[in-house]
Amino acid sequence: MALTLAEKIIQKHIIPGTLDFTPGKPIERGIDIAIKIDQTLTQDATGTMAYLQFETIGIPRVKTEVSVSYIDHNTLQTDFKNQDDHRYLQSIAAKYGLYFSRPGNGVCHQVHIEHFGKPGKTLLGSDSHTPTGGGIGMISIGAGGIDVAVAMGGGAFHLAMPKIFGVKLTGKLRKGVSAKDIIIEVLRHESVKGGVGAIYEYFGDGVASLTVPQRATVTNMGAELGATCSIFPSDETTKSFLKSMGRQDDWTEQKADDGAVYDKVIEIDLSKLNPLAACPHSPDNVKDVSTLSDIKVSQVAIGSCTNSSLDDLEAVAAIVRGKHIAPGVEAGIAPGSRTTLLMADKAGILGDLIRAGFRILESACGPCIGMGFAPNSQGVSLRTFNRNFKGRSGTADASIYLVSPETAAASAITGYITDPTTLDYTDPAYTENGRVSLLEGKYKGLSMEDITADALDTGMLIAPLPPEKAKDVEILRGPNIKPCPPCKPCEDNLKLPVLLKAKDNVSTDDIMPAGTKVLPFRSNIPEISKFTYERIDADFYKKAEATGFSGCFAVGGENFGQGSSREHAALGPMYLGVRAVITKSFARIHKANLINYGIIPITFKNPEDYDKINDGDTLEIKNIFDSLKNQKSFDITLHSKSGDVNIEGVNDLAERSRKILLAGGLASYTRAGGQ
């Protein structure tokens, strides 16, 4: 029977003996599967906690084919904390056999595609945008740090077998229309929760017209769908890209079988797409750029793991070349990697951007996570990033629009949100066959070899030490690095107050903010926990403290925990005593992280029960052991001023998840021999 590409790669990575299935036939959707992980990545905002957990496993060396520790988030060094973390991470990499990407080398997802990603392999990363690797034909999944730690130790990654949604692309993009517009169109169609429990697989004759950086833009921002991951085939275009990176031997063809059947199919004619914008404050609040032309812009930011490739920088340069950004607009651009920065310099693109008035920002995540370059108060900022949650930029009252590099560039020179297809400009990388990668053929007389000369050295990547030297490495720990606190043991009955009631689409930024104030405490759970749920209820920490951190519940609406993979959004609540979170629905990674830290995720069987609960009410959950052992519904009683109400909580947890909760979290489960 014909299989999709995602199914083929997953089947090759099923751990032998863990699942009874027939190779070559579809695996039942929703069933728990355990897959082998070939590669892992971490970044510094999540990495310290992941490696603190890896140390407790007691394995002398990582067991993956490749594991990489990247520094790209906490690069603003206003005191000792962030650099102490960097030194810890470098010493961990040396001792346990990881590559170490130094500060300034670039954003993890772009660097990984350039130097490590391989078609047909599996990649697990402690960052929600790890699915970027799907742009070269990988199954790349974001997860919590403890899941990555287990994978580095040779353990399987468990997940529910996703549905496979096909996205059929036909035609070619017009000049001024971008890959960013493709994924924003998918978000308009599917919403930020439409991809929960699914993989998006792109196919059709339109795929051939997209460069690898364009494909990576689509798979990167697929995280905003709530998807497990997204994937493109690995074809001749992929081969050309890997050749340009000096890695042609890493290429293999990866494609779906002829006649592969998808759980559903979305069709997009690329030739009919218009420039789109995700308007404040959600990636699925989509409008045509042409309808926003009366909005004055005060800031433009180009970069992030979504749109900071050489192709993206050239698209901007093509529009601003010989022009200058408008008065009143502040514009910054962050190349995605040192390699990209060097190539942009060689191709003359960097000079074009500087002459146009762009500030050249560090090759790091930076403003995407509120780490500098924040907008003005009540400002309108156009960003080529992937998320525009309220306050994420660092300015609470700013309006953030997510757009393509072309739309950002056009708006930077006009001062208003501008449709780039209305401008007259020459794009030397654009042909009748669509955008051509600068690394394919000639660009302004330069060959691929000319552009990549001196740009592909790996001096900012430190290779693993051999085992005989690694054993003598001393782990460097600064005073801000604290051990990961243990989970509270599972209890059979809980009668506790509701200290939080949240609405729909609560993000991990709402649960545990990023930014300059909070990120330096990622290695210190007692300190970072003080920011838990801060954007929903500024008094939550004080309320939990008033109980002596003895225990409480949180209640939420639809898609609770959307956004990043940051397990601190589970660690903080766990440390403050949250024992269960009861919602209408969860985002995938956050639900998994709650389980890993012993917090029971429960959904309302009757969503209208959400309206019956108020902040300060008491909930009682009885016979938890029986519910978890036998997958029975959760027996919940609401005690309120209006009287007692019985509420049924759905128990849709896989057997392994229920065992983890009974064990008191994944660390305890793993130490007890759980797989």
Side-chain angles (χ1 to χ4, degrees):
M1 187 172 182
L3 295 180
T4 66
L5 172 57
E7 288 175 307
K8 291 168 71 173
I9 297 175
I10 287 172
Q11 289 199 7
K12 289 179 181 177
H13 287 82
I14 294 289
I15 301 294
T18 62
L19 182 67
D20 184 16
F21 74 102
T22 303
K25 291 187 177 181
I27 296 173
E28 179 186 346
R29 306 307 194 232
I31 193 171
D32 184 65
I33 60 172
I35 61 173
K36 176 182 180 293
I37 297 300
D38 300 316
Q39 301 184 352
T40 68
L41 67 80
T42 60
Q43 36 88 342
D44 47 318
T46 59
T48 48
M49 198 54 57
Y51 296 118
L52 285 167
Q53 292 156 342
F54 180 77
E55 286 185 272
T56 67
I57 296 175
I59 293 173
R61 197 168 180 86
V62 297
K63 295 185 178 182
T64 49
E65 295 175 9
V66 171
S67 285
V68 190
S69 175
Y70 291 94
I71 307 295
D72 60 4
H73 276 58
N74 289 353
T75 59
L76 188 63
Q77 294 165 217
T78 58
D79 63 18
F80 65 91
K81 298 183 188 71
N82 286 342
Q83 193 175 6
D84 275 3
D85 283 357
H86 301 169
R87 285 163 54 81
Y88 168 76
L89 293 169
Q90 184 171 346
S91 64
I92 283 284
K95 189 168 188 67
Y96 291 109
L98 294 91
Y99 283 88
F100 180 74
S101 181
R102 300 163 71 179
N105 196 44
V107 180
C108 59
H109 309 301
Q110 184 159 325
V111 177
H112 205 86
I113 278 188
E114 291 171 348
H115 293 281
F116 297 107
K118 292 185 181 182
K121 296 292 186 177
T122 55
L123 169 66
L124 193 71
S126 62
D127 188 283
S128 57
H129 291 108
T130 301
T132 308
I136 58 171
M138 301 182 75
I139 290 292
S140 301
I141 302 173
I146 193 168
D147 283 316
V148 177
V150 170
M152 287 190 295
F157 178 63
H158 288 253
L159 71 161
M161 178 63 198
K163 297 177 181 178
I164 316 295
F165 295 163
V167 184
K168 183 178 181 181
L169 304 179
T170 59
K172 298 179 178 67
L173 295 171
R174 296 178 292 133
K175 187 175 73 171
V177 186
S178 163
K180 187 64 160 285
D181 300 309
I182 298 173
I183 186 58
I184 294 178
E185 174 65 18
V186 177
L187 276 157
R188 170 155 63 179
H189 187 280
E190 295 286 274
S191 86
V192 291
K193 61 183 180 181
V196 174
I199 293 173
Y200 286 80
E201 182 168 315
Y202 291 80
F203 69 101
D205 58 28
V207 167
S209 68
L210 301 177
T211 67
V212 163
Q214 287 178 309
R215 298 175 188 185
T217 290
V218 173
T219 55
N220 172 282
M221 200 167 166
E224 274 42 80
L225 296 160
T228 302
C229 63
S230 302
I231 191 167
F232 277 82
S234 171
D235 53 15
E236 288 298 319
T237 298
T238 318
K239 186 177 183 180
S240 296
F241 174 80
L242 291 174
K243 180 181 178 182
S244 72
M245 294 291 107
R247 298 200 296 123
Q248 56 267 36
D249 291 344
D250 287 341
W251 180 78
T252 57
E253 184 180 35
Q254 303 288 332
K255 62 180 182 179
D257 292 333
D258 292 339
V261 177
Y262 297 91
D263 292 286
K264 74 174 180 180
V265 174
I266 304 162
E267 296 193 27
I268 298 176
D269 183 344
L270 301 180
S271 67
K272 294 181 179 179
L273 267 185
N274 294 316
L276 300 171
C279 302
H281 297 283
S282 180
D284 62 359
N285 182 18
V286 177
K287 294 182 181 179
D288 280 28
V289 168
S290 61
T291 68
L292 306 171
S293 59
D294 60 338
I295 298 177
K296 188 172 177 59
V297 175
S298 58
Q299 188 195 63
V300 167
I302 295 168
S304 87
C305 54
T306 317
N307 280 119
S308 56
S309 69
L310 185 64
D311 286 14
D312 293 320
L313 302 193
E314 195 284 326
V316 175
I319 292 174
V320 304
R321 193 172 285 124
K323 303 179 181 66
H324 204 280
I325 59 172
V329 176
E330 188 174 27
I333 194 160
S337 68
R338 174 175 175 266
T339 296
T340 295
L341 183 59
L342 289 169
M343 291 191 296
D345 180 41
K346 192 75 172 183
I349 292 169
L350 188 59
D352 290 332
L353 299 173
I354 294 172
R355 281 186 287 273
F358 278 91
R359 291 169 56 183
I360 306 303
L361 309 178
E362 186 177 17
S363 293
C365 299
C368 183
I369 53 168
M371 193 63 76
F373 205 69
N376 58 291
S377 58
Q378 299 183 348
V380 172
S381 178
L382 268 61
R383 301 184 159 211
T384 67
F385 305 166
N386 41 49
R387 289 181 180 144
N388 59 345
F389 304 144
K390 187 175 178 63
R392 180 179 169 91
S393 67
T395 303
D397 62 357
S399 295
I400 308 300
Y401 293 79
L402 305 177
V403 297
S404 70
E406 289 89 340
T407 296
S411 304
I413 61 173
T414 65
Y416 289 84
I417 297 181
T418 300
D419 182 341
T421 65
T422 64
L423 301 184
D424 183 18
Y425 65 95
T426 300
D427 184 348
Y430 183 85
T431 73
E432 62 182 12
N433 293 319
R435 171 165 284 277
V436 177
S437 172
L438 275 61
L439 303 177
E440 298 175 25
K442 292 279 187 177
Y443 173 75
K444 296 196 298 185
L446 296 172
S447 68
M448 175 186 75
E449 289 76 16
D450 293 329
I451 295 173
T452 59
D454 304 321
L456 298 181
D457 82 276
T458 56
M460 295 291 280
L461 278 170
I462 300 177
L465 286 176
E468 62 273 15
K469 292 185 177 180
K471 63 182 177 62
D472 297 324
V473 171
E474 177 188 359
I475 303 299
L476 304 176
R477 305 178 199 276
N480 188 51
I481 298 176
K482 307 296 183 184
C484 183
C487 300
K488 294 178 174 64
C490 186
E491 296 181 48
D492 194 26
N493 299 290
L494 293 169
K495 186 176 182 180
L496 300 168
V498 174
L499 295 190
L500 182 87
K501 184 175 182 183
K503 297 181 179 179
D504 293 346
N505 296 320
V506 164
S507 73
T508 46
D509 284 81
D510 297 321
I511 300 170
M512 182 61 72
T516 56
K517 184 171 71 171
V518 181
L519 278 178
F521 294 110
R522 287 300 181 94
S523 309
N524 188 336
I525 300 305
E527 282 300 314
I528 203 171
S529 69
K530 295 176 182 177
F531 301 96
T532 300
Y533 299 131
E534 181 183 66
R535 291 184 180 169
I536 307 169
D537 183 350
D539 293 326
F540 181 83
Y541 180 82
K542 292 179 181 178
K543 288 157 64 174
E545 187 179 36
T547 70
F549 307 117
S550 59
C552 63
F553 296 124
V555 173
E558 296 280 5
N559 199 29
F560 189 87
Q562 68 164 333
S564 81
S565 66
R566 66 190 71 162
E567 61 188 350
H568 296 73
L571 270 166
M574 180 274 289
Y575 187 77
L576 299 186
V578 177
R579 305 306 305 274
V581 179
I582 308 163
T583 72
K584 294 180 181 179
S585 66
F586 289 94
R588 176 188 65 86
I589 302 178
H590 186 60
K591 182 177 182 179
N593 285 341
L594 292 174
I595 293 167
N596 287 344
Y597 288 101
I599 299 174
I600 306 171
I602 303 171
T603 52
F604 293 105
K605 182 175 182 180
N606 299 309
E608 59 269 22
D609 285 338
Y610 166 88
D611 298 315
K612 300 174 184 176
I613 302 173
N614 293 304
D615 192 350
D617 287 345
T618 297
L619 293 178
E620 185 175 7
I621 308 177
K622 301 175 183 177
N623 303 314
I624 293 172
F625 292 166
D626 187 39
S627 295
L628 292 175
K629 289 176 182 177
N630 300 301
Q631 200 174 16
K632 294 181 179 179
S633 298
F634 290 102
D635 178 13
I636 305 170
T637 302
L638 166 64
H639 302 290
S640 70
K641 295 177 181 178
S642 302
D644 293 350
V645 178
N646 292 325
I647 293 173
E648 185 175 351
V650 175
N651 184 349
D652 59 357
L653 304 172
E655 181 181 5
R656 179 175 180 269
S657 296
R658 290 183 275 118
K659 288 180 178 179
I660 290 171
L661 288 168
L662 284 166
L666 182 56
S668 298
Y669 175 76
T670 302
R671 284 194 293 270
Q675 300 295 319

